[in-house]
Amino acid sequence: LLGALARSGREPSAPSILLAGPAGERHEFGLLMVAVLAADRGLGTYLLGVDVPAEDIVDTARRLRVDAVGLSLVAEGNRVASARALVELEAGLPEGIEIWVGGGDAHNVLAMAPPGRAQLLQSIDQLERHLSRFRAGTTLP
């Protein structure tokens, strides 16, 4: 997957996404998969990795001026920490940056966090539709 990601190229006018697993999340396969799918569509794709503190995700997103941040939320035992990280991201990221969450425990994390702008992506089909919308520059309803 890393090889496929390395061979892809961003189209200059395309939006960009930063992908990460917040502190306590250690499953990287889903992030790699999303990175390859996004890069295949010509999106700017930055893979920050897993077990990243929310403050570092916010700082990196601001520095890179990304248009979206995607989080992998898998570990049931990390649910409370992931919900706190999501709250920190909501507060720290500029309003125009979309927040995407996916993974086996994402729906539970969202249920624990206050309502916000995070968008739950639950399937590959939904992700692909979302990436196409994002690539086209279409805003969310």
Side-chain angles (χ1 to χ4, degrees):
L1 287 176
L2 287 173
L5 186 58
R7 288 187 300 275
S8 64
R10 177 183 183 189
E11 295 177 25
S13 63
S16 60
I17 181 170
L18 174 68
L19 300 167
E25 291 287 348
R26 293 177 177 86
H27 299 277
E28 194 167 20
F29 186 76
L31 289 172
L32 286 168
M33 181 188 64
V34 173
V36 169
L37 290 172
D40 188 53
R41 284 166 177 72
L43 295 169
T45 307
Y46 303 98
L47 185 61
L48 191 55
V50 294
D51 202 17
V52 181
E55 178 181 323
D56 292 348
I57 297 171
V58 169
D59 290 345
T60 304
R62 285 177 172 273
R63 186 171 23 84
L64 294 173
R65 297 181 179 184
V66 297
D67 301 289
V69 170
L71 302 176
S72 175
L73 306 173
V74 177
E76 181 180 327
N78 198 51
R79 188 176 296 157
V80 172
S82 290
R84 278 195 302 261
L86 189 55
V87 169
E88 287 181 51
L89 290 173
E90 291 268 357
L93 292 171
E95 282 295 318
I97 296 178
E98 295 182 16
I99 301 172
W100 307 352
V101 298
D105 204 46
H107 63 285
N108 292 316
V109 172
L110 280 179
M112 291 184 72
R117 62 185 139 144
Q119 304 159 53
L120 177 63
L121 303 177
Q122 301 183 78
S123 69
I124 294 294
D125 289 339
Q126 187 180 18
L127 171 65
E128 288 184 338
R129 286 190 305 274
H130 204 75
L131 288 169
S132 294
R133 180 224 28 108
F134 188 65
R135 175 65 181 93
T138 307
T139 58
L140 292 170

